[in-house]
Amino acid sequence: QTDSTDLLGGYRPLEIRHIARHVYTEFVTLFVSSFSKSQNAQFLDYVTTAYEKGQWKRLSQCFKRAAKMGLDKVKQKKKKAKEEEIWFEFKLLSERFEKQRIACDTGLAFAFTEGALVDAIRHG
């Protein structure tokens, strides 16, 4: 027997590692597409180490810094508005991660998780 929250979704306890994984994968994809991987290898290694060791505060600071760097680069080169929008969305994602990190540090935090039915409808 399936609970309605399993199908539709509901609020569940927040697992910071799960959220960090999502933000981290977004970060790597976006950062590598916008910046030279070889020139920024040290920064990428720093971020990866923070993620792997569960240093969430440090990781959050790296995300914020990367978002600022990305937005500055887009504004300097006056690239497409689409790229600026993508970096702005990442900035919002990094700010949300910071809020969730603080909530997890101070006690119980919850986040809405979509259920299997909603996921199936969205992704076909």
Side-chain angles (χ1 to χ4, degrees), residues 1-69:
Q1 195 171 21
T2 305
D3 190 26
S4 65
T5 56
D6 291 338
L7 289 174
L8 301 175
Y11 285 93
R12 298 186 180 174
L14 194 61
E15 293 181 28
I16 194 70
R17 181 167 292 283
H18 176 70
I19 293 168
R21 181 178 348 129
H22 170 69
V23 181
Y24 176 75
T25 54
E26 290 285 325
F27 159 76
V28 171
T29 304
L30 185 56
F31 193 83
V32 170
S33 71
S34 299
F35 294 95
S36 168
K37 192 173 182 179
S38 59
Q39 290 179 346
N40 294 292
Q42 188 176 7
F43 179 67
L44 287 170
D45 289 343
Y46 186 77
V47 174
T48 301
T49 302
Y51 171 71
E52 289 173 349
K53 291 185 176 181
Q55 298 170 330
W56 309 126
K57 185 174 183 178
R58 181 176 290 171
L59 185 64
S60 180
Q61 292 168 345
C62 291
F63 290 156
K64 286 183 187 177
R65 182 174 169 210
K68 184 179 182 324
M69 288 168 47

Side-chain angles (χ1 to χ4, degrees), residues 70-84:
L71 286 170
D72 289 347
K73 182 176 182 176
V74 170
K75 288 176 184 174
Q76 284 177 355
K77 293 191 175 187
K78 296 184 180 179
K79 287 192 175 182
K80 301 174 190 170
K82 179 72 175 166
E83 191 173 349
E84 184 174 359

Side-chain angles (χ1 to χ4, degrees), residues 111-122:
F112 186 82
T113 307
E114 292 179 347
L117 180 63
V118 174
D119 190 46
I121 291 170
R122 283 186 193 260

